[in-house]
Amino acid sequence: MSEQVRVLPDGCMDVIHYGGRLLVAGPDTFAQLGVSPVGRTYTAIRFGPGTAPGVLGVPADELRDQRVPLSALWPQARVRRLTEQLDEADDPAALLEAAFARNDKPDEPWVRAVVGRVRAGCSIAEIAADVGLSERQLHRRGLILFGYGLKTLSRILRLNAALELARGGMPFGAVAAGTGYADQAHLSREVKALAGAPLREVIG
């Protein structure tokens, strides 16, 4: 018996362990639909926006909207050993976190600042000036670190902020006003475009 799963874009990347496999979920630009056997157990580590490329050693735009085996990015023997350890671990979540912590590299120093400014609704020109890059340079760096440009990142982060408020019971019109949409219709269009379903269906 299986169930349908809808994975919404959130600006993050994940490494997921299940059924003897290690999979990398790239940054999504639209909702990913899949089918999962009922009762299947997943263990995952989530990397915030801009943080995964330094750990995985792969530009984020090469993984955009994709699900690829970790063995396509790292040496197969290394991935096989880690997979076997995770299969046998009493606490696979702790082991997965430790495995990637050992390979962590510092973010580019401006990444957290950029994400914060995007969440705050700053313009691309303002953000570029703040971090000392041209808009073109910022776009190129955004592709490598986030998987897409800052305009797309802004849409996705704003959508997630709106969904969080809606799930908390806030009226949709107030959600739209509080998260920078022109009106409720604008919010509805963005939810349909990025999440692939009406707002009421997405928030469950």
Side-chain angles (χ1 to χ4, degrees), residues 153-166:
L153 179 64
S154 177
R155 290 179 66 200
I156 289 170
L157 294 182
R158 181 168 62 169
L159 172 72
N160 279 268
L163 292 178
E164 184 175 354
L165 293 176

Side-chain angles (χ1 to χ4, degrees), residues 12-14 16 23-30 32 58-69 72-73:
C12 300
M13 293 175 60
D14 304 279
I16 306 165
L23 192 71
V24 177
D28 293 326
T29 58
F30 55 87
Q32 299 277 348
V58 179
D61 58 331
E62 292 187 11
L63 302 175
R64 183 174 54 236
D65 296 322
Q66 295 189 56
R67 304 292 184 266
V68 301
L73 311 178

Side-chain angles (χ1 to χ4, degrees), residues 76-158:
Q76 291 188 6
R78 179 183 181 186
V79 175
R80 183 170 58 252
R81 285 194 300 271
L82 177 57
T83 303
E84 291 170 351
Q85 291 169 352
L86 288 166
D87 290 342
E88 298 171 1
D90 294 329
D91 188 351
L95 177 59
L96 188 61
E97 184 175 353
F100 283 91
R102 287 197 298 269
N103 294 284
D104 199 4
K105 296 180 181 178
D107 299 341
E108 294 200 29
W110 50 269
V111 171
R112 293 183 191 277
V114 165
V115 173
R117 285 164 173 73
V118 169
R119 291 188 192 278
C122 296
S123 71
I124 304 301
E126 290 173 326
I127 296 171
D130 284 346
V131 299
L133 297 172
S134 70
E135 292 185 44
R136 180 170 295 184
Q137 289 172 324
L138 185 59
H139 180 74
R140 287 200 299 265
R141 297 306 300 163
L143 293 177
I144 293 169
L145 293 166
F146 306 118
Y148 28 64
L150 266 62
K151 288 183 180 179
T152 299
L153 179 64
S154 177
R155 290 179 66 200
I156 289 170
L157 294 182
R158 181 168 62 169

